[in-house]
Amino acid sequence: MSAFDSAWGHRIAVAVDNTGGTAGPFDVAVTLSSTHSDFWDHVLNTGYDVRFATEDGATGLTFKRTTWSYATKAALFELDAVTLGVGMHVLWMYWGNAAAADGATAP
């Protein structure tokens, strides 16, 4: 699997269960737990360094920060129109690039 970019020091797999669905583009919601210390200890307080990639780990996905509060450790991201077949899928979330500009399509 390829990596998104070596400037992003952290990543986690995001499992998407579409075993009971149909193929097509879907919006996918990703919620980060307040107890996910690797994320909260290394993400920018703005959340601007968060990125999402397809199953290949390198192709970027369009997303927005629906909820973001570094102070209370609350984060909800919405990935827009992700094309998935029927079955289980693994997308990738990256963070930890201190020089990153905002990659979200809307705050």
Side-chain angles (χ1 to χ4, degrees):
M1 182 191 79
S2 299
F4 179 71
D5 185 314
S6 62
W8 273 260
H10 300 270
R11 76 173 179 188
I12 190 170
V14 177
V16 179
D17 182 354
N18 190 33
T19 54
T22 58
F26 302 98
D27 292 342
V28 176
V30 178
T31 303
L32 268 289
S33 167
S34 63
T35 61
H36 193 296
S37 59
D38 186 53
F39 177 77
W40 293 109
D41 289 349
H42 298 101
V43 70
L44 295 176
N45 63 2
T46 59
Y48 286 4
D49 58 327
V50 175
R51 298 293 188 275
F52 291 91
T54 62
E55 291 179 282
D56 69 7
T59 305
L61 292 168
T62 303
F63 71 96
K64 60 185 169 189
R65 277 184 313 280
T66 305
T67 301
W68 180 261
S69 173
Y70 184 79
T72 62
K73 295 183 170 76
L76 170 63
F77 300 92
E78 290 183 36
L79 286 59
D80 300 325
V82 180
T83 301
L84 299 172
V86 175
M88 290 295 296
H89 299 274
V90 175
L91 305 177
W92 294 93
M93 185 176 112
Y94 292 84
W95 68 94
N97 180 348
D102 192 0
T105 57

